[in-house]
Amino acid sequence: MPLQIIRNDITKLNCDAIVNAANATLLGGGGVDGAIHKAAGKELLQECMKLGGCKTGQAKITGGYRLPCRYVIHTVGPKWNGGQTGERELLESCYRESLRLALEHDCQSVAFPLISSGVYGYPKDRALKVAVDCITGFLFEHDMLVYLVMFDKSSFQIGEKLFADITAFIDDKYVDTHFVSRRTQRDEWGESTVFGESEQATLSRESFREGAATASKGISFQKRTVSRSLEDLLKQEDESFSQALLRKIDEKGMTDSECYKKANVDRKLFSKIRSDVHYHPSKTTAIAFAIALELNLDETKDLLLKAGFALSHSNKFDIIIEYFITNGNYNVFEINEALFAFDQSLLGV
Ligand code: ADP
């Protein structure tokens, strides 16, 4: 996946270049700067001394010395001063200039810390948004693997309201699941084996219930709307995941590259899926495509089923995905921020 948000120590990463959130002297400092100089050894400082400093928003490149990476790209982030003194533009420039240098030096992989979000005081959620926007903008034009490295969990804070909304949604769904299961077990089907049933079974039962909804006895668990026509269902019967994906891409009027980039899925992986009609993607990859295609909940479930997966209400990952789909928010990076905040694996990874 071209942008990966990971939690790690940037000095440990084995990629072509790491980016240093340096100060204007380029002579080392605290935070990530200090950690990078310490791990690289004094030769790094010696090279930096020849560079004559660096302006805010600019970047300069050196060797990696004892670090596992080939290069260190030093960029100077803006100090936060309330947001009215061009901080955002300068921070964007840090990402742009660093990526430009990485490209010029043929880097295939580069890792960024969350620039300016430490001693320089840029609010972490805003710093993260700038980072994600700049990096994804760049990745629309270029092929590169970019890591955004979070040092500690608090660096990766989604807004409090979103966190609260998702928490409430998860709570609701857990309650819903248990309520439906008990009702289903007791009233609806008169059998005792509903727990642990396959999604296939759930789907067909729900489809049945959808048809019978108006005749039902006012039981309140029918929230789903029928959004698949019979024609749609028949068309899909024998399709593989790969075929379904390519059909959906065409139906949505997207190009392949628009789709896999939006899904944050690597081009090589997409080629594999494209050329192997029976390819089985991971669940996160399948969901990333559903998000990129902006499928509704039923369509998402259909696509997942092709790859042998289901969305269930008994794990947080699935519920968070459902939250975003039902809220019409298909921004894979925002979804990943939320997944990260809830300690779940990320999409496309
Ligand atoms: P700035 O002066 O640009 O704010 P800092 O080094 O103080 O730079 O902090 C930038 C970000 O780097 C902070 O979010 C901090 O938590 C993070 N950070 C500090 N050490 C490391 C490390 N070893 N690896 C990755 N990120 C780090």
Side-chain angles (χ1 to χ4, degrees), residues 180-195 197 205 208-209 217 219 221:
V180 170
S181 298
R182 280 199 300 277
R183 290 300 303 257
T184 305
Q185 194 175 25
R186 206 174 54 230
D187 302 336
E188 184 87 335
W189 297 98
E191 61 186 69
S192 58
T193 55
V194 176
F195 289 105
E197 68 187 351
R205 285 176 185 186
F208 167 80
R209 291 208 295 262
K217 306 152 262 173
I219 294 171
F221 45 67

Side-chain angles (χ1 to χ4, degrees), residues 8-10 21 30-32 35 113-120 124 149 151-152 155:
N8 212 324
D9 176 347
I10 204 165
V32 71
L114 205 51
I115 300 165
S116 284
S117 73
V119 176
Y120 282 4
K124 289 189 188 225
V149 183
F151 195 46
D152 53 292
S155 307

Side-chain angles (χ1 to χ4, degrees), residues 57-78:
Q58 300 296 307
K60 294 195 175 173
I61 192 162
T62 65
Y65 301 99
R66 282 180 238 167
L67 289 160
C69 57
R70 275 198 288 145
Y71 300 109
V72 178
I73 296 170
H74 307 262
T75 188
V76 183

Side-chain angles (χ1 to χ4, degrees), residues 252-269:
K252 297 279 174 180
M254 290 175 99
T255 64
D256 289 355
S257 73
E258 272 166 2
C259 182
Y260 68 72
K261 284 185 173 171
K262 190 161 174 225
N264 201 25
V265 165
D266 187 68
R267 179 170 49 89
K268 290 184 201 121
L269 175 58

Side-chain angles (χ1 to χ4, degrees), residues 186-251:
R186 206 174 54 230
D187 302 336
E188 184 87 335
W189 297 98
E191 61 186 69
S192 58
T193 55
V194 176
F195 289 105
E197 68 187 351
S198 73
E199 176 74 359
Q200 182 76 58
T202 309
L203 272 180
S204 57
R205 285 176 185 186
E206 284 183 354
S207 306
F208 167 80
R209 291 208 295 262
E210 275 159 4
T214 45
S216 78
K217 306 152 262 173
I219 294 171
S220 63
F221 45 67
Q222 260 328 299
K223 290 191 185 141
R224 297 176 63 196
T225 50
V226 185
S227 48
R228 291 164 292 185
S229 66
L230 181 60
E231 197 187 348
D232 258 2
L233 289 171
L234 290 175
K235 232 194 283 174
Q236 295 168 18
E237 216 190 359
D238 292 320
E239 249 182 354
S240 69
F241 174 83
S242 166
Q243 290 167 326
L245 175 65
L246 297 177
R247 175 173 62 79
K248 281 285 177 198
I249 292 174
D250 288 346
E251 282 173 13

Side-chain angles (χ1 to χ4, degrees), residues 6-13 18-23 29-36 75-80 91 112-122 124 127 148-152 154-156:
I6 57 174
R7 204 179 326 162
N8 212 324
D9 176 347
I10 204 165
T11 64
K12 304 276 188 282
L13 292 184
I18 65 169
V19 176
N20 180 16
N23 61 45
V32 71
D33 196 7
I36 288 174
T75 188
V76 183
K79 290 186 183 137
W80 180 255
L91 189 54
F112 282 88
L114 205 51
I115 300 165
S116 284
S117 73
V119 176
Y120 282 4
Y122 209 106
K124 289 189 188 225
L148 192 52
V149 183
M150 303 295 144
F151 195 46
D152 53 292
S154 67
S155 307
F156 203 164

